[in-house]
Amino acid sequence: MNSIHETGSPDKKLDINEILIWLQKDGMISVKDYQNCKQQAFKPKNKDTHPLKLIVECETADQTQLGRNLTLEGLTRWLAEKVDLPYYYIDPLKIDVSSVTSIFSQAYAANYNILPVKVTETDVMVAVSEPFVHAWEADLAKIQTRKLKRVLANPDEIKRYLEEFYNFSKSLKGASINSAHKVDSTLQNFEQLVELGKVSDLDANNHHVVNLVSWLLQYAFDQRASDIHIEPRREQANVRFRIDGVLHQVYQLPSKITNAVMSRLKILGRMDIAEKRMPQDGRIKTQATQGKEIELRLSTMPTAFGEKMVMRIFDPDVLLRNFRQLGLNKREQLLWKNMSGQAHGIILVTGPTGSGKTTTLYSTLKNLAKPEVNLCTVEDPIELIEPSFNQMQVQQNIGLSFANGIRTLLRQDPDIIMVGEIRDLETAEMAVQASLTGHLVLSTLHTNDAPSAVTRLLEIGIPAYLIQQTLLGVMAQRLLRVLCPHCKTAVEIADTEWAALIEPFKADKPKTIYQAAGCNDCRNTGYSGRIGIYEIFENSPTLKKLMVDGCDNAAIRKQAVTEGMRPLRFSGAEKVAKGVTTIEEVLRVVPQGIEL
């Protein structure tokens, strides 16, 4: 593709006619779409619409990709090559908002629809949507001496982040100024220094702080974060998001306004803003941009530099997911439905924190919650509010423990009981008692694999004969990152590599597997979203004979595998064979050496 960029040519905005001619010459649009776009360009409502955006709004078919329309991101890439400018994807996770918004004002940036995206000691990188407009460069040269680098970016993304970044920066500055003013007017003598930690609480409802918190939450929703971490340090607080199971540094809040932000969040979560020495829990129900309801669970803890807060984001849509969407194959679905369809007994879901146990349980309960069934839960805390359940919150401060909660539920004529977690002997004994009296009990346990749940219950103090009578089965699970469908690339796999992955089982080696590449859609990670892998241990007469005091977990596991249990790593291998994830991701989550 030949470049048409002419350095030194007079300023001019992109012309829709020229763009359409270039696209037609490159064989990207049809004559019919060419005429349609030209007609739309003359309409008054489209007078100020960027040419690339107008072409996309006309639903122009991409002649190089059958059945697909041209996209704004794709057209921006094409134009960047055409005008000999680097293409730039604006990833807000990689942009220092404070430094980029200090280059020039929002009004000036909006006038030219330009946005600084990277600032170093020697360079300023500016994203533009009009490659032939240079007037602003002279103005920039007058106010700073850094070398200018121009890049072409999506015009809609420039407009969007221009507003978001500058509004965030204004709120941050406003909150800082407001906080500093209150400190100056409040501290009159040495004794009042002790009140410094309370000053920020006065700012919790300041409109700048309100805007900062709103931006932070919306930003997390947009980035598909599952958790927000606010971690105080000596000079500032680090803000990190967990996206697809991996933490990303997002921003650093100045320490003088961190307390105000924390107080605002605690107010929203109905927590005690004056209590900073004891851990607290809270909940927030809010809405994303599209009007979708989102729930957040808040948890604080005291640290050396102040309170640390973690907000777990719960998507109500998880209750609408079926077992296939969660990642269970047909065999696993059948096993799980058979176990959860029993009239009485105990079913356990195991795995480390953040492995998707809650999602699996809630999806299962949603399927079991029929009008003719009384389904009750006792949780600490209640993760998601669901109208079809009767949910009880554990409150240790008034003596309402898991065990006491189960005692109460047993007087409520339940059919199915869900216990948030079996942590101690008393809770385990009540769960066993409930199952023996004709109830189906579902709960979670922290073990590395499914068979280990048996030895864990024995360690807690449950007699082996009771485990034999009540335990229906155990499902262990983990979450794997899913390959980005836009950039995953096919590769061949060696026989030895495949054999090591599925050992001790045998399965046909796939002709090709996929590996992560990285693109703008997945923020160059190569992954987008997560899916579960599962290991289902179903109790049997043979296995019951092995369940004795001091039993060997390895023996139970070996017999379970003999009877058909597929280990976690084998479940991961199936996902690799289907092109869902990578070998590296399976081995990261389920390392070799912890299974048969």
Side-chain angles (χ1 to χ4, degrees):
M1 188 182 293
N2 295 326
S3 169
I4 55 166
H5 180 56
E6 298 178 18
T7 307
S9 60
D11 280 8
K12 67 169 184 175
K13 287 195 170 184
L14 289 169
D15 180 71
I16 184 68
N17 292 318
E18 283 185 297
I19 297 291
L20 290 172
I21 290 170
W22 299 339
L23 286 169
Q24 200 171 38
K25 284 183 178 179
D26 289 344
M28 295 178 68
I29 63 172
S30 65
V31 175
K32 181 182 177 181
D33 284 331
Y34 173 91
Q35 296 297 337
N36 180 43
C37 291
K38 281 192 71 172
Q39 290 175 3
Q40 293 297 322
F42 285 111
K43 292 185 177 181
K45 66 175 183 178
N46 294 325
K47 180 182 176 183
D48 297 322
T49 305
H50 193 281
L52 299 186
K53 187 176 180 182
L54 177 61
I55 292 168
V56 173
E57 288 176 350
C58 290
E59 297 183 350
T60 307
D62 186 348
Q63 297 300 306
T64 64
Q65 298 188 65
L66 189 64
R68 293 189 180 183
N69 289 342
L70 291 169
T71 63
L72 194 51
E73 206 67 50
L75 281 173
T76 306
R77 285 178 177 273
W78 166 83
L79 183 61
E81 189 174 349
K82 200 78 175 170
V83 301
D84 196 25
L85 276 179
Y87 163 80
Y88 187 85
Y89 174 75
I90 301 175
D91 184 352
L93 291 176
K94 297 179 180 178
I95 293 177
D96 185 342
V97 176
S98 295
S99 63
V100 301
T101 54
S102 67
I103 300 301
F104 38 68
S105 69
Q106 181 177 1
Y108 191 84
N111 184 48
Y112 290 102
N113 199 30
I114 57 178
L115 178 68
V117 290
K118 188 175 182 181
V119 180
T120 67
E121 292 182 1
T122 56
D123 304 302
V124 175
M125 183 182 290
V126 180
V128 303
S129 61
E130 292 287 350
F132 304 136
V133 174
H134 301 270
W136 56 271
E137 295 179 28
D139 295 330
L140 185 59
K142 293 175 183 177
I143 60 175
Q144 57 87 41
T145 58
R146 299 181 184 94
K147 183 181 177 182
L148 172 65
K149 290 185 177 179
R150 288 157 44 92
V151 292
L152 193 71
N154 183 322
D156 270 6
E157 295 292 277
I158 291 177
K159 187 175 181 180
R160 171 194 172 185
Y161 288 116
L162 189 154
E163 185 173 351
E164 285 190 14
F165 290 168
Y166 278 94
N167 287 346
F168 175 76
S169 184
K170 284 178 183 176
S171 296
L172 196 61
K173 289 177 182 176
S176 298
I177 293 170
N178 184 67
S179 179
H181 171 73
K182 291 200 173 187
V183 171
D184 291 342
S185 62
T186 304
L187 302 180
Q188 302 297 328
N189 53 52
F190 180 78
E191 286 75 13
Q192 287 176 316
L193 282 171
V194 296
E195 299 296 315
L196 181 58
K198 299 179 183 179
V199 172
S200 59
D201 294 342
L202 302 172
D203 302 333
N205 292 314
N206 177 275
H207 73 279
H208 293 298
V209 176
V210 171
N211 289 340
L212 281 176
V213 171
S214 297
W215 179 86
L216 181 67
L217 295 181
Q218 192 56 57
Y219 191 18
F221 302 154
D222 290 344
Q223 299 299 318
R224 300 182 295 104
S226 61
D227 301 85
I228 305 170
H229 293 241
I230 303 178
E231 303 165 324
R233 298 294 184 262
R234 188 180 300 276
E235 301 296 334
Q236 73 282 317
N238 294 329
V239 179
R240 298 196 289 172
F241 291 169
R242 188 177 294 279
I243 302 171
D244 293 337
V246 179
L247 279 171
H248 298 263
Q249 177 79 31
V250 175
Y251 200 75
Q252 290 185 324
L253 288 173
S255 57
K256 60 184 176 183
I257 65 168
T258 300
N259 286 343
V261 169
M262 296 283 277
S263 294
R264 173 65 184 170
L265 288 166
K266 288 169 77 172
I267 289 170
L268 292 174
R270 295 178 175 83
M271 300 158 77
D272 184 357
I273 64 172
E275 179 56 74
K276 300 178 187 298
R277 299 169 299 171
M278 292 289 291
Q280 294 189 68
D281 294 311
R283 306 180 74 88
I284 296 175
K285 179 172 278 193
T286 184
Q287 286 189 334
T289 312
Q290 303 81 6
K292 179 179 176 182
E293 277 197 353
I294 301 288
E295 284 195 28
L296 297 97
R297 191 182 77 196
L298 280 58
S299 173
T300 66
M301 63 172 277
T303 71
F305 298 109
E307 279 187 295
K308 177 185 185 295
M309 178 178 286
V310 174
M311 292 171 274
R312 174 154 287 188
I313 302 170
F314 290 101
D315 184 352
D317 285 350
V318 301
L319 293 173
L320 304 176
R321 293 178 188 168
N322 57 41
F323 295 133
R324 182 186 60 80
Q325 291 170 322
L326 292 177
L328 281 84
N329 61 31
K330 290 182 180 180
R331 175 184 168 277
E332 291 164 346
Q333 289 179 45
L334 182 62
L335 283 171
W336 186 245
K337 286 179 180 178
N338 285 341
M339 283 196 296
S340 58
Q342 299 297 313
H344 56 84
I346 297 176
I347 300 172
L348 298 174
V349 181
T350 75
T353 302
S355 60
K357 299 189 299 296
T358 299
T359 299
T360 298
L361 277 179
Y362 271 85
S363 298
T364 303
L365 293 176
K366 184 71 173 178
N367 284 312
L368 296 174
K370 308 295 182 187
E372 64 273 16
V373 171
N374 178 20
L375 198 161
C376 303
T377 75
V378 53
E379 305 171 62
D380 183 21
I382 295 173
E383 305 277 16
L384 286 172
I385 304 296
E386 171 49 45
S388 59
F389 309 162
N390 299 295
Q391 295 171 282
M392 183 194 300
Q393 168 83 47
V394 166
Q395 298 185 65
Q396 298 287 357
N397 58 330
I398 60 172
L400 180 53
S401 62
F402 275 120
N404 289 334
I406 299 173
R407 287 192 186 94
T408 300
L409 293 184
L410 287 174
R411 304 186 192 105
Q412 293 287 314
D413 185 30
D415 296 296
I416 301 171
I417 296 173
M418 193 276 273
V419 183
E421 184 184 348
I422 293 178
R423 299 174 180 172
D424 51 42
L425 176 59
E426 188 180 16
T427 305
E429 286 177 336
M430 288 307 305
V432 168
Q433 185 64 38
S435 68
L436 287 172
T437 52
H439 305 90
L440 181 65
V441 180
L442 293 90
S443 188
T444 67
L445 202 63
H446 286 283
T447 62
N448 283 332
D449 60 6
S452 296
V454 174
T455 51
R456 176 68 181 136
L457 289 173
L458 288 169
E459 288 169 359
I460 288 175
I462 300 299
Y465 74 92
L466 288 179
I467 299 174
Q468 292 170 346
Q469 292 182 52
T470 59
L471 186 66
L472 295 173
V474 186
M475 181 161 75
Q477 67 177 83
R478 299 289 191 278
L479 290 177
L480 295 177
R481 290 182 294 172
V482 175
L483 278 166
C484 173
H486 301 100
C487 65
K488 64 180 185 180
T489 56
V491 293
E492 292 186 358
I493 179 173
D495 292 342
T496 53
E497 195 175 7
W498 177 250
L501 183 66
I502 64 171
E503 186 184 4
F505 298 95
K506 304 293 182 183
D508 292 337
K509 186 190 77 169
K511 292 181 180 179
T512 58
I513 61 170
Y514 290 85
Q515 65 180 14
C519 67
N520 295 333
D521 292 290
C522 60
R523 301 179 188 88
N524 292 312
T525 63
Y527 299 94
S528 180
R530 290 191 290 175
I531 197 168
I533 55 171
Y534 303 90
E535 171 182 277
I536 300 180
F537 165 85
E538 192 173 25
N539 210 351
S540 70
T542 309
L543 286 165
K544 287 178 181 179
K545 292 178 182 178
L546 296 174
M547 295 178 190
V548 295
D549 292 334
C551 66
D552 182 8
N553 181 65
I556 293 178
R557 181 171 186 83
K558 186 175 181 179
Q559 180 60 33
V561 170
T562 302
E563 295 184 8
M565 185 185 80
R566 295 293 184 265
L568 284 166
R569 204 167 68 242
F570 188 85
S571 178
E574 289 182 333
K575 299 289 190 294
V576 171
K578 291 178 180 178
V580 175
T581 191
T582 64
I583 289 179
E584 292 77 16
E585 180 66 6
V586 173
L587 295 179
R588 180 184 73 86
V589 175
V590 192
Q592 288 176 321
I594 72 166
E595 300 189 51
L596 285 175

